[in-house]
Amino acid sequence: MPTSAPRPILIIKTGDTLDTLRPNMGDFEHWIETGLTAGAGKGSGDKADPANTHQPPPIQVLDARHANPLPGPETLAGVVITGSHAMVSDREAWSEALVPWLARLVAQGTPVLGICYGHQLLAHALGGEVGYHPGGLELGTVPITLTPEAQADPLFAHLPSQWNAQVVHAQSVRALPPGAVRLAGNAHEPHQAYRIGANAWGVQFHPEFSLAAMQGYVQHLAATLPAGRTPPMVQETPQACSLLGRFAQLCGPARH
């Protein structure tokens, strides 16, 4: 019997990074692909796991801002939705076109990971509320605290209770979708991560950001900060970055 081709992880591109970063560092989808493929054979983000030595599924990219047909959930191993400089509350036509498709993915149990804009769009698609954060911009390397529910979550259970992540966002999920499980937060943003259904997650922070990427955003936005607000210091965030590799494992052959 011939072996069928492995189903891919589809990266849904919803925006571009800064023009100053893209020529030398690539774009959101490249950073995400690096994180997904770096997780092959690892179970904790840091240590090799003999039980997870399979290769990750192949990666494909679809730019949602162009008129591309959206594939059926049954053809995909998983989906990652990138960040964007757009705003979910603007309800742009290309963004709203993703809403019923995302709801279908969740209903059929396809693994989904929404990052920043993707986190907000996933919440919007499932009945949550998205809008500007009353505290304004959250920027830099920030502490993240897991909820007790995260201890048994397939994506987050390997992490300690507190760690750091990179953030840059003005909007956030103001109310979670009905039935969503809150997994992480901090003093600024209570909804740093959630799960909806069995296999769909949103993360407000950026597990794909390197130190250099975060430094680029801080430098770009420094002039827009309120008077007296010092640009934040940034540092590496290995625990947050490990989530992409872990997600790739959850999309792997074991679930099929």
Side-chain angles (χ1 to χ4, degrees):
M1 294 290 290
T3 302
S4 60
R7 289 181 280 180
I9 297 176
L10 181 65
I11 299 175
I12 296 291
K13 181 178 173 65
T14 65
D16 302 301
T17 191
L18 298 170
D19 291 342
T20 53
L21 299 182
R22 194 162 55 252
N24 294 324
M25 296 178 59
D27 213 334
F28 294 137
E29 67 271 23
H30 305 121
W31 307 348
I32 290 169
E33 181 172 1
T34 296
L36 291 171
T37 56
K42 294 182 180 180
S44 66
D46 297 315
K47 299 178 180 179
D49 185 348
N52 288 292
T53 56
H54 64 267
Q55 292 297 310
I59 310 295
Q60 295 181 3
V61 179
L62 186 151
D63 193 326
R65 300 166 298 177
H66 305 312
N68 294 309
L70 295 167
E74 69 281 356
T75 69
L76 302 171
V79 172
V80 181
I81 313 149
T82 75
S84 177
H85 297 169
M87 297 295 171
V88 169
S89 64
D90 288 343
R91 306 290 190 263
E92 296 189 49
W94 63 264
S95 183
E96 289 296 289
L98 291 170
V99 165
W101 183 71
L102 289 173
R104 184 180 166 204
L105 290 174
V106 174
Q108 296 199 21
T110 303
V112 177
L113 177 63
I115 298 172
C116 197
Y117 186 94
H119 158 91
Q120 297 164 16
L121 183 62
L122 181 64
H124 167 58
L126 276 298
E129 178 186 339
V130 176
Y132 283 94
H133 195 293
L137 179 71
E138 186 180 33
L139 176 67
T141 307
V142 301
I144 303 291
T145 301
L146 296 182
T147 66
E149 289 77 11
Q151 295 177 3
D153 181 80
L155 185 60
F156 284 87
H158 72 283
L159 292 174
S161 60
Q162 286 192 318
W163 33 275
N164 291 329
Q166 317 290 16
V167 296
V168 51
H169 67 107
Q171 292 201 335
S172 65
V173 177
R174 306 305 300 143
L176 290 174
V181 179
R182 190 175 77 89
L183 298 173
N186 63 11
H188 180 92
E189 174 52 61
H191 303 140
Q192 288 285 356
Y194 66 87
R195 187 184 69 250
I196 183 77
N199 295 306
W201 293 268
V203 294
Q204 181 57 71
F205 54 89
H206 285 275
E208 81 281 21
F209 269 29
S210 65
L211 177 64
M214 191 71 259
Q215 288 171 331
Y217 272 89
V218 168
Q219 182 178 6
H220 178 75
L221 293 168
T224 70
L225 297 176
R229 181 175 172 183
T230 303
M233 299 293 292
V234 299
Q235 57 185 287
E236 300 279 3
T237 57
Q239 289 85 7
C241 292
S242 75
L243 288 170
L244 286 170
R246 178 60 184 158
F247 180 76
Q249 292 171 16
L250 297 175
C251 296
R255 69 174 288 270
H256 305 315

